[in-house]
Amino acid sequence: MTDTQHFVEIRHAQKAYGDLEVLKDISLNVERGQIVAIIGPSGSGKSTLLRAINDLDALTSGEIWLDGVQVNKTLPHRQYEKHINQMRQQIGMVFQHFNLFPHLNVRDNVTMAPKLLKGISKAEADTLAEEQLAHVGMLERIDFYPSQLSGGQKQRVAIARALAMKPKLMLFDEATSALDPELVEEVNLVMKKLAEEDMTMIIVTHEMDFAASVCDRVLFMDQGVVVEEGPPEKIFRNPDKDRTREFLRKHLEGAK
Amino acid sequence: MGLDFSVVPQFYDIILIGVLWTVAITVASALLSFFGGIVFAVVALYGHWSIRLPFRGFAWLFMGTPLLLQLFLIYFGLVQIGVDLPAFVAGVIGLGLHFAVYNSELIQTAIIAVDKGQMEAARTLGLSNGQALRKVVIPQAVRDVLPPIGNNMIALLKDSALVSVIGVSELTLSAQRAIGRTYRPFEFYVVAAACYYIINLGMEAVLRRIERRTALSR
């Protein structure tokens, strides 16, 4: 709670499954409005780190702070549940496989959580759904069910669903990895729009071009550590570490 | 003595009352077995052991013993410990709980099978575990097992004939009463069978409608 606090702070994050350490003492600060991309080979721990930020995967040790409040506070179980639900309302998350609620139409996917958690009226909920869906270009599909949408459309609705809670921070866990190549762009455009609106975003991605074009900072992770971090032009054009160079070279070959 | 269906129309009121009672007891028991099945499934999966273990015993009792015996126990047995239930209520409780246990087994399996990303997405939005179950997981689990639950409801309709033995004037007992007055068992049992069949068709139509309406939400 000092003046020098960062918007998001990850302090000495460590996570182990038995002897297997997936995160080894990772610290990271993100400022308000910043966009940080986390890249790295699969199994590097990048998704685990992202999922630790909203405590979907609990850390073994270490602290996560958001806007001066510790997310993973030590509290008795019941109090912790209350606290974490409160924190998660402020942290939007977008998944690789969308995880839209198939039994609800697009409108209800977007408004279910705000109605339940913020007690807004039906009229307010409708306005909110229309606003958020217009924002991602999905207003005309408001009465459709997820099964009637393409992957790119599903992901845009999932983004609207997260934004409807008015989060302070958005987490993207390989948001375009499950999409057909021709559907990636529409989701990237929505994410770029959010970036322009100064949303604070942490993005786990395999898409180097996208990371290079929207991110303020890129982290390269491998085997549970941050190998190298810096502005995208540095990480992508002139990395210091051989491991980073090696990963980018392999990745480039894979993309061809 | 040949067959003579001409006596049947005179007893149409008895048969009609029987049909109405059968429908009433089936609908009431079906609702109890449906909502009871959801509650039992949640208790079995997430309940504290002090609730879960007695529940397992109770489930075993209902699955491992004859429904007829359960009805006798609820109607005649409970009186001895001061619980004097009307026959209709005893019948609904017996049939409802019996099928609730079967529905619960189906729903438990379906809850486990719901993609865990659904729970994650709900929790990420800030829903509590209970809210996520209620709003996201259970509706999908129930939707997934509607067809087999429908089969249980058809079985429930047929087993509702058993409550005739505790004196509910449903279709089977009504048929027996008409037979008592006319000595024409074949005619009235056939008429009762036809009535069950028609109610059955009606139930299937309702179930199909519900399944169609949930088709989009998959």
PDB file of all heavy atoms in Angstrom, chain A residues 97-127:
ATOM      1  N   HIS A  97     -10.306 -22.901 -24.792  1.00  0.00           N
ATOM      2  CA  HIS A  97     -11.489 -23.594 -25.330  1.00  0.00           C
ATOM      3  C   HIS A  97     -12.781 -22.855 -25.007  1.00  0.00           C
ATOM      4  O   HIS A  97     -13.841 -23.490 -24.855  1.00  0.00           O
ATOM      5  CB  HIS A  97     -11.519 -25.039 -24.830  1.00  0.00           C
ATOM      6  CG  HIS A  97     -10.356 -25.841 -25.348  1.00  0.00           C
ATOM      7  ND1 HIS A  97     -10.257 -26.211 -26.663  1.00  0.00           N
ATOM      8  CD2 HIS A  97      -9.221 -26.264 -24.751  1.00  0.00           C
ATOM      9  CE1 HIS A  97      -9.115 -26.870 -26.845  1.00  0.00           C
ATOM     10  NE2 HIS A  97      -8.471 -26.910 -25.699  1.00  0.00           N
ATOM     11  N   PHE A  98     -12.704 -21.575 -24.870  1.00  0.00           N
ATOM     12  CA  PHE A  98     -13.850 -20.648 -24.694  1.00  0.00           C
ATOM     13  C   PHE A  98     -14.629 -20.862 -23.399  1.00  0.00           C
ATOM     14  O   PHE A  98     -14.926 -19.924 -22.695  1.00  0.00           O
ATOM     15  CB  PHE A  98     -14.822 -20.704 -25.883  1.00  0.00           C
ATOM     16  CG  PHE A  98     -14.198 -21.067 -27.202  1.00  0.00           C
ATOM     17  CD1 PHE A  98     -14.664 -22.137 -27.938  1.00  0.00           C
ATOM     18  CD2 PHE A  98     -13.098 -20.348 -27.682  1.00  0.00           C
ATOM     19  CE1 PHE A  98     -14.056 -22.482 -29.147  1.00  0.00           C
ATOM     20  CE2 PHE A  98     -12.504 -20.686 -28.890  1.00  0.00           C
ATOM     21  CZ  PHE A  98     -12.981 -21.756 -29.624  1.00  0.00           C
ATOM     22  N   ASN A  99     -15.016 -22.138 -23.156  1.00  0.00           N
ATOM     23  CA  ASN A  99     -15.817 -22.466 -21.977  1.00  0.00           C
ATOM     24  C   ASN A  99     -17.071 -21.600 -21.839  1.00  0.00           C
ATOM     25  O   ASN A  99     -17.440 -21.213 -20.731  1.00  0.00           O
ATOM     26  CB  ASN A  99     -14.977 -22.372 -20.694  1.00  0.00           C
ATOM     27  CG  ASN A  99     -13.801 -23.323 -20.700  1.00  0.00           C
ATOM     28  OD1 ASN A  99     -13.694 -24.167 -21.591  1.00  0.00           O
ATOM     29  ND2 ASN A  99     -12.922 -23.198 -19.740  1.00  0.00           N
ATOM     30  N   LEU A 100     -17.717 -21.329 -22.951  1.00  0.00           N
ATOM     31  CA  LEU A 100     -19.032 -20.690 -22.868  1.00  0.00           C
ATOM     32  C   LEU A 100     -19.994 -21.680 -22.228  1.00  0.00           C
ATOM     33  O   LEU A 100     -19.777 -22.888 -22.294  1.00  0.00           O
ATOM     34  CB  LEU A 100     -19.543 -20.302 -24.266  1.00  0.00           C
ATOM     35  CG  LEU A 100     -18.894 -19.093 -24.917  1.00  0.00           C
ATOM     36  CD1 LEU A 100     -19.568 -18.814 -26.255  1.00  0.00           C
ATOM     37  CD2 LEU A 100     -18.958 -17.865 -24.032  1.00  0.00           C
ATOM     38  N   PHE A 101     -21.067 -21.148 -21.623  1.00  0.00           N
ATOM     39  CA  PHE A 101     -22.055 -22.024 -21.005  1.00  0.00           C
ATOM     40  C   PHE A 101     -23.044 -22.474 -22.088  1.00  0.00           C
ATOM     41  O   PHE A 101     -23.852 -21.672 -22.555  1.00  0.00           O
ATOM     42  CB  PHE A 101     -22.771 -21.287 -19.872  1.00  0.00           C
ATOM     43  CG  PHE A 101     -21.818 -20.715 -18.849  1.00  0.00           C
ATOM     44  CD1 PHE A 101     -21.929 -19.403 -18.425  1.00  0.00           C
ATOM     45  CD2 PHE A 101     -20.797 -21.503 -18.323  1.00  0.00           C
ATOM     46  CE1 PHE A 101     -21.036 -18.874 -17.485  1.00  0.00           C
ATOM     47  CE2 PHE A 101     -19.904 -20.985 -17.383  1.00  0.00           C
ATOM     48  CZ  PHE A 101     -20.028 -19.665 -16.971  1.00  0.00           C
ATOM     49  N   PRO A 102     -22.982 -23.749 -22.506  1.00  0.00           N
ATOM     50  CA  PRO A 102     -23.764 -24.178 -23.676  1.00  0.00           C
ATOM     51  C   PRO A 102     -25.272 -24.156 -23.442  1.00  0.00           C
ATOM     52  O   PRO A 102     -26.044 -24.108 -24.396  1.00  0.00           O
ATOM     53  CB  PRO A 102     -23.277 -25.603 -23.925  1.00  0.00           C
ATOM     54  CG  PRO A 102     -22.706 -26.051 -22.634  1.00  0.00           C
ATOM     55  CD  PRO A 102     -22.172 -24.833 -21.958  1.00  0.00           C
ATOM     56  N   HIS A 103     -25.680 -24.199 -22.168  1.00  0.00           N
ATOM     57  CA  HIS A 103     -27.118 -24.249 -21.886  1.00  0.00           C
ATOM     58  C   HIS A 103     -27.752 -22.858 -21.848  1.00  0.00           C
ATOM     59  O   HIS A 103     -28.957 -22.738 -21.660  1.00  0.00           O
ATOM     60  CB  HIS A 103     -27.372 -24.982 -20.566  1.00  0.00           C
ATOM     61  CG  HIS A 103     -26.734 -24.316 -19.366  1.00  0.00           C
ATOM     62  ND1 HIS A 103     -25.382 -24.080 -19.298  1.00  0.00           N
ATOM     63  CD2 HIS A 103     -27.264 -23.827 -18.236  1.00  0.00           C
ATOM     64  CE1 HIS A 103     -25.120 -23.481 -18.146  1.00  0.00           C
ATOM     65  NE2 HIS A 103     -26.237 -23.310 -17.485  1.00  0.00           N
ATOM     66  N   LEU A 104     -26.926 -21.812 -22.015  1.00  0.00           N
ATOM     67  CA  LEU A 104     -27.445 -20.444 -21.985  1.00  0.00           C
ATOM     68  C   LEU A 104     -27.207 -19.784 -23.332  1.00  0.00           C
ATOM     69  O   LEU A 104     -26.189 -20.039 -23.980  1.00  0.00           O
ATOM     70  CB  LEU A 104     -26.734 -19.626 -20.898  1.00  0.00           C
ATOM     71  CG  LEU A 104     -26.823 -20.139 -19.458  1.00  0.00           C
ATOM     72  CD1 LEU A 104     -26.003 -19.255 -18.535  1.00  0.00           C
ATOM     73  CD2 LEU A 104     -28.272 -20.192 -18.997  1.00  0.00           C
ATOM     74  N   ASN A 105     -28.130 -18.902 -23.738  1.00  0.00           N
ATOM     75  CA  ASN A 105     -27.875 -18.179 -24.975  1.00  0.00           C
ATOM     76  C   ASN A 105     -26.817 -17.092 -24.736  1.00  0.00           C
ATOM     77  O   ASN A 105     -26.338 -16.911 -23.613  1.00  0.00           O
ATOM     78  CB  ASN A 105     -29.173 -17.614 -25.571  1.00  0.00           C
ATOM     79  CG  ASN A 105     -29.815 -16.555 -24.687  1.00  0.00           C
ATOM     80  OD1 ASN A 105     -29.171 -15.996 -23.804  1.00  0.00           O
ATOM     81  ND2 ASN A 105     -31.085 -16.292 -24.914  1.00  0.00           N
ATOM     82  N   VAL A 106     -26.440 -16.426 -25.805  1.00  0.00           N
ATOM     83  CA  VAL A 106     -25.339 -15.465 -25.729  1.00  0.00           C
ATOM     84  C   VAL A 106     -25.618 -14.389 -24.678  1.00  0.00           C
ATOM     85  O   VAL A 106     -24.772 -14.056 -23.846  1.00  0.00           O
ATOM     86  CB  VAL A 106     -25.097 -14.848 -27.125  1.00  0.00           C
ATOM     87  CG1 VAL A 106     -24.220 -13.608 -27.033  1.00  0.00           C
ATOM     88  CG2 VAL A 106     -24.468 -15.883 -28.058  1.00  0.00           C
ATOM     89  N   ARG A 107     -26.843 -13.874 -24.688  1.00  0.00           N
ATOM     90  CA  ARG A 107     -27.214 -12.826 -23.726  1.00  0.00           C
ATOM     91  C   ARG A 107     -26.997 -13.312 -22.286  1.00  0.00           C
ATOM     92  O   ARG A 107     -26.370 -12.630 -21.476  1.00  0.00           O
ATOM     93  CB  ARG A 107     -28.686 -12.460 -23.930  1.00  0.00           C
ATOM     94  CG  ARG A 107     -29.210 -11.380 -22.996  1.00  0.00           C
ATOM     95  CD  ARG A 107     -30.731 -11.405 -22.948  1.00  0.00           C
ATOM     96  NE  ARG A 107     -31.343 -11.387 -24.269  1.00  0.00           N
ATOM     97  CZ  ARG A 107     -31.635 -10.264 -24.935  1.00  0.00           C
ATOM     98  NH1 ARG A 107     -31.426  -9.094 -24.389  1.00  0.00           N
ATOM     99  NH2 ARG A 107     -32.161 -10.343 -26.138  1.00  0.00           N
ATOM    100  N   ASP A 108     -27.513 -14.519 -22.001  1.00  0.00           N
ATOM    101  CA  ASP A 108     -27.427 -15.015 -20.628  1.00  0.00           C
ATOM    102  C   ASP A 108     -26.002 -15.404 -20.241  1.00  0.00           C
ATOM    103  O   ASP A 108     -25.633 -15.337 -19.068  1.00  0.00           O
ATOM    104  CB  ASP A 108     -28.382 -16.198 -20.431  1.00  0.00           C
ATOM    105  CG  ASP A 108     -29.839 -15.768 -20.531  1.00  0.00           C
ATOM    106  OD1 ASP A 108     -30.107 -14.561 -20.365  1.00  0.00           O
ATOM    107  OD2 ASP A 108     -30.704 -16.624 -20.794  1.00  0.00           O
ATOM    108  N   ASN A 109     -25.203 -15.827 -21.227  1.00  0.00           N
ATOM    109  CA  ASN A 109     -23.802 -16.068 -20.950  1.00  0.00           C
ATOM    110  C   ASN A 109     -23.137 -14.804 -20.411  1.00  0.00           C
ATOM    111  O   ASN A 109     -22.355 -14.848 -19.471  1.00  0.00           O
ATOM    112  CB  ASN A 109     -23.067 -16.518 -22.211  1.00  0.00           C
ATOM    113  CG  ASN A 109     -22.926 -18.020 -22.302  1.00  0.00           C
ATOM    114  OD1 ASN A 109     -22.031 -18.605 -21.704  1.00  0.00           O
ATOM    115  ND2 ASN A 109     -23.835 -18.653 -23.031  1.00  0.00           N
ATOM    116  N   VAL A 110     -23.497 -13.670 -21.018  1.00  0.00           N
ATOM    117  CA  VAL A 110     -22.874 -12.403 -20.646  1.00  0.00           C
ATOM    118  C   VAL A 110     -23.425 -11.870 -19.319  1.00  0.00           C
ATOM    119  O   VAL A 110     -22.696 -11.338 -18.498  1.00  0.00           O
ATOM    120  CB  VAL A 110     -23.065 -11.357 -21.774  1.00  0.00           C
ATOM    121  CG1 VAL A 110     -22.555  -9.989 -21.350  1.00  0.00           C
ATOM    122  CG2 VAL A 110     -22.342 -11.823 -23.039  1.00  0.00           C
ATOM    123  N   THR A 111     -24.733 -12.059 -19.102  1.00  0.00           N
ATOM    124  CA  THR A 111     -25.355 -11.389 -17.947  1.00  0.00           C
ATOM    125  C   THR A 111     -25.493 -12.257 -16.701  1.00  0.00           C
ATOM    126  O   THR A 111     -25.820 -11.748 -15.639  1.00  0.00           O
ATOM    127  CB  THR A 111     -26.775 -10.894 -18.311  1.00  0.00           C
ATOM    128  OG1 THR A 111     -27.557 -12.006 -18.742  1.00  0.00           O
ATOM    129  CG2 THR A 111     -26.721  -9.851 -19.408  1.00  0.00           C
ATOM    130  N   MET A 112     -25.253 -13.553 -16.831  1.00  0.00           N
ATOM    131  CA  MET A 112     -25.490 -14.430 -15.684  1.00  0.00           C
ATOM    132  C   MET A 112     -24.710 -13.980 -14.443  1.00  0.00           C
ATOM    133  O   MET A 112     -25.296 -13.767 -13.381  1.00  0.00           O
ATOM    134  CB  MET A 112     -25.124 -15.867 -16.050  1.00  0.00           C
ATOM    135  CG  MET A 112     -25.561 -16.880 -15.033  1.00  0.00           C
ATOM    136  SD  MET A 112     -24.213 -17.574 -14.132  1.00  0.00           S
ATOM    137  CE  MET A 112     -23.552 -18.710 -15.274  1.00  0.00           C
ATOM    138  N   ALA A 113     -23.405 -13.800 -14.586  1.00  0.00           N
ATOM    139  CA  ALA A 113     -22.589 -13.432 -13.422  1.00  0.00           C
ATOM    140  C   ALA A 113     -22.938 -12.033 -12.884  1.00  0.00           C
ATOM    141  O   ALA A 113     -23.129 -11.885 -11.676  1.00  0.00           O
ATOM    142  CB  ALA A 113     -21.110 -13.553 -13.763  1.00  0.00           C
ATOM    143  N   PRO A 114     -23.058 -11.001 -13.736  1.00  0.00           N
ATOM    144  CA  PRO A 114     -23.432  -9.695 -13.188  1.00  0.00           C
ATOM    145  C   PRO A 114     -24.796  -9.713 -12.478  1.00  0.00           C
ATOM    146  O   PRO A 114     -24.962  -9.080 -11.444  1.00  0.00           O
ATOM    147  CB  PRO A 114     -23.487  -8.776 -14.422  1.00  0.00           C
ATOM    148  CG  PRO A 114     -22.671  -9.449 -15.449  1.00  0.00           C
ATOM    149  CD  PRO A 114     -22.741 -10.911 -15.171  1.00  0.00           C
ATOM    150  N   LYS A 115     -25.756 -10.466 -13.042  1.00  0.00           N
ATOM    151  CA  LYS A 115     -27.072 -10.528 -12.400  1.00  0.00           C
ATOM    152  C   LYS A 115     -26.960 -11.177 -11.019  1.00  0.00           C
ATOM    153  O   LYS A 115     -27.519 -10.715 -10.043  1.00  0.00           O
ATOM    154  CB  LYS A 115     -28.065 -11.332 -13.255  1.00  0.00           C
ATOM    155  CG  LYS A 115     -28.720 -10.474 -14.331  1.00  0.00           C
ATOM    156  CD  LYS A 115     -30.032 -11.060 -14.810  1.00  0.00           C
ATOM    157  CE  LYS A 115     -29.810 -12.179 -15.796  1.00  0.00           C
ATOM    158  NZ  LYS A 115     -30.956 -12.513 -16.623  1.00  0.00           N
ATOM    159  N   LEU A 116     -26.185 -12.252 -10.969  1.00  0.00           N
ATOM    160  CA  LEU A 116     -26.074 -13.035  -9.739  1.00  0.00           C
ATOM    161  C   LEU A 116     -25.235 -12.308  -8.690  1.00  0.00           C
ATOM    162  O   LEU A 116     -25.547 -12.318  -7.503  1.00  0.00           O
ATOM    163  CB  LEU A 116     -25.409 -14.372 -10.095  1.00  0.00           C
ATOM    164  CG  LEU A 116     -25.656 -15.569  -9.198  1.00  0.00           C
ATOM    165  CD1 LEU A 116     -27.125 -15.886  -9.142  1.00  0.00           C
ATOM    166  CD2 LEU A 116     -24.876 -16.764  -9.759  1.00  0.00           C
ATOM    167  N   LEU A 117     -24.169 -11.669  -9.128  1.00  0.00           N
ATOM    168  CA  LEU A 117     -23.184 -11.157  -8.171  1.00  0.00           C
ATOM    169  C   LEU A 117     -23.327  -9.667  -7.900  1.00  0.00           C
ATOM    170  O   LEU A 117     -22.898  -9.180  -6.863  1.00  0.00           O
ATOM    171  CB  LEU A 117     -21.765 -11.451  -8.675  1.00  0.00           C
ATOM    172  CG  LEU A 117     -21.478 -12.929  -8.922  1.00  0.00           C
ATOM    173  CD1 LEU A 117     -20.141 -13.101  -9.612  1.00  0.00           C
ATOM    174  CD2 LEU A 117     -21.496 -13.707  -7.615  1.00  0.00           C
ATOM    175  N   LYS A 118     -23.903  -8.943  -8.847  1.00  0.00           N
ATOM    176  CA  LYS A 118     -24.014  -7.504  -8.642  1.00  0.00           C
ATOM    177  C   LYS A 118     -25.465  -7.072  -8.469  1.00  0.00           C
ATOM    178  O   LYS A 118     -25.745  -5.886  -8.290  1.00  0.00           O
ATOM    179  CB  LYS A 118     -23.371  -6.752  -9.812  1.00  0.00           C
ATOM    180  CG  LYS A 118     -21.873  -7.021  -9.900  1.00  0.00           C
ATOM    181  CD  LYS A 118     -21.194  -6.189 -10.953  1.00  0.00           C
ATOM    182  CE  LYS A 118     -19.677  -6.324 -10.835  1.00  0.00           C
ATOM    183  NZ  LYS A 118     -18.992  -5.656 -11.948  1.00  0.00           N
ATOM    184  N   GLY A 119     -26.368  -8.034  -8.538  1.00  0.00           N
ATOM    185  CA  GLY A 119     -27.786  -7.752  -8.301  1.00  0.00           C
ATOM    186  C   GLY A 119     -28.380  -6.707  -9.226  1.00  0.00           C
ATOM    187  O   GLY A 119     -29.254  -5.953  -8.830  1.00  0.00           O
ATOM    188  N   ILE A 120     -27.931  -6.670 -10.472  1.00  0.00           N
ATOM    189  CA  ILE A 120     -28.502  -5.679 -11.392  1.00  0.00           C
ATOM    190  C   ILE A 120     -29.860  -6.155 -11.904  1.00  0.00           C
ATOM    191  O   ILE A 120     -30.141  -7.347 -11.923  1.00  0.00           O
ATOM    192  CB  ILE A 120     -27.553  -5.389 -12.583  1.00  0.00           C
ATOM    193  CG1 ILE A 120     -27.286  -6.648 -13.399  1.00  0.00           C
ATOM    194  CG2 ILE A 120     -26.248  -4.777 -12.086  1.00  0.00           C
ATOM    195  CD1 ILE A 120     -26.525  -6.379 -14.677  1.00  0.00           C
ATOM    196  N   SER A 121     -30.689  -5.208 -12.303  1.00  0.00           N
ATOM    197  CA  SER A 121     -32.037  -5.551 -12.767  1.00  0.00           C
ATOM    198  C   SER A 121     -31.977  -6.172 -14.162  1.00  0.00           C
ATOM    199  O   SER A 121     -30.935  -6.127 -14.824  1.00  0.00           O
ATOM    200  CB  SER A 121     -32.895  -4.295 -12.811  1.00  0.00           C
ATOM    201  OG  SER A 121     -32.456  -3.469 -13.866  1.00  0.00           O
ATOM    202  N   LYS A 122     -33.126  -6.703 -14.606  1.00  0.00           N
ATOM    203  CA  LYS A 122     -33.178  -7.319 -15.921  1.00  0.00           C
ATOM    204  C   LYS A 122     -32.900  -6.287 -17.013  1.00  0.00           C
ATOM    205  O   LYS A 122     -32.172  -6.561 -17.974  1.00  0.00           O
ATOM    206  CB  LYS A 122     -34.551  -7.959 -16.122  1.00  0.00           C
ATOM    207  CG  LYS A 122     -34.524  -9.018 -17.207  1.00  0.00           C
ATOM    208  CD  LYS A 122     -35.891  -9.554 -17.522  1.00  0.00           C
ATOM    209  CE  LYS A 122     -35.889 -10.343 -18.819  1.00  0.00           C
ATOM    210  NZ  LYS A 122     -35.163  -9.729 -19.920  1.00  0.00           N
ATOM    211  N   ALA A 123     -33.470  -5.089 -16.833  1.00  0.00           N
ATOM    212  CA  ALA A 123     -33.275  -4.026 -17.829  1.00  0.00           C
ATOM    213  C   ALA A 123     -31.796  -3.619 -17.895  1.00  0.00           C
ATOM    214  O   ALA A 123     -31.223  -3.487 -18.979  1.00  0.00           O
ATOM    215  CB  ALA A 123     -34.138  -2.819 -17.485  1.00  0.00           C
ATOM    216  N   GLU A 124     -31.183  -3.464 -16.726  1.00  0.00           N
ATOM    217  CA  GLU A 124     -29.754  -3.121 -16.691  1.00  0.00           C
ATOM    218  C   GLU A 124     -28.918  -4.227 -17.327  1.00  0.00           C
ATOM    219  O   GLU A 124     -27.955  -3.952 -18.050  1.00  0.00           O
ATOM    220  CB  GLU A 124     -29.296  -2.909 -15.241  1.00  0.00           C
ATOM    221  CG  GLU A 124     -29.799  -1.631 -14.609  1.00  0.00           C
ATOM    222  CD  GLU A 124     -29.522  -1.588 -13.118  1.00  0.00           C
ATOM    223  OE1 GLU A 124     -29.799  -2.584 -12.422  1.00  0.00           O
ATOM    224  OE2 GLU A 124     -29.036  -0.558 -12.643  1.00  0.00           O
ATOM    225  N   ALA A 125     -29.321  -5.469 -17.056  1.00  0.00           N
ATOM    226  CA  ALA A 125     -28.586  -6.607 -17.608  1.00  0.00           C
ATOM    227  C   ALA A 125     -28.680  -6.617 -19.135  1.00  0.00           C
ATOM    228  O   ALA A 125     -27.689  -6.880 -19.823  1.00  0.00           O
ATOM    229  CB  ALA A 125     -29.123  -7.914 -17.030  1.00  0.00           C
ATOM    230  N   ASP A 126     -29.872  -6.319 -19.648  1.00  0.00           N
ATOM    231  CA  ASP A 126     -30.044  -6.286 -21.099  1.00  0.00           C
ATOM    232  C   ASP A 126     -29.173  -5.207 -21.737  1.00  0.00           C
ATOM    233  O   ASP A 126     -28.524  -5.439 -22.754  1.00  0.00           O
ATOM    234  CB  ASP A 126     -31.513  -6.053 -21.451  1.00  0.00           C
ATOM    235  CG  ASP A 126     -32.322  -7.331 -21.308  1.00  0.00           C
ATOM    236  OD1 ASP A 126     -31.700  -8.410 -21.336  1.00  0.00           O
ATOM    237  OD2 ASP A 126     -33.555  -7.256 -21.161  1.00  0.00           O
ATOM    238  N   THR A 127     -29.157  -4.043 -21.110  1.00  0.00           N
ATOM    239  CA  THR A 127     -28.321  -2.957 -21.625  1.00  0.00           C
ATOM    240  C   THR A 127     -26.853  -3.355 -21.598  1.00  0.00           C
ATOM    241  O   THR A 127     -26.107  -3.140 -22.562  1.00  0.00           O
ATOM    242  CB  THR A 127     -28.502  -1.685 -20.765  1.00  0.00           C
ATOM    243  OG1 THR A 127     -29.898  -1.509 -20.536  1.00  0.00           O
ATOM    244  CG2 THR A 127     -27.922  -0.465 -21.439  1.00  0.00           C
TER     245      THR A 127
END
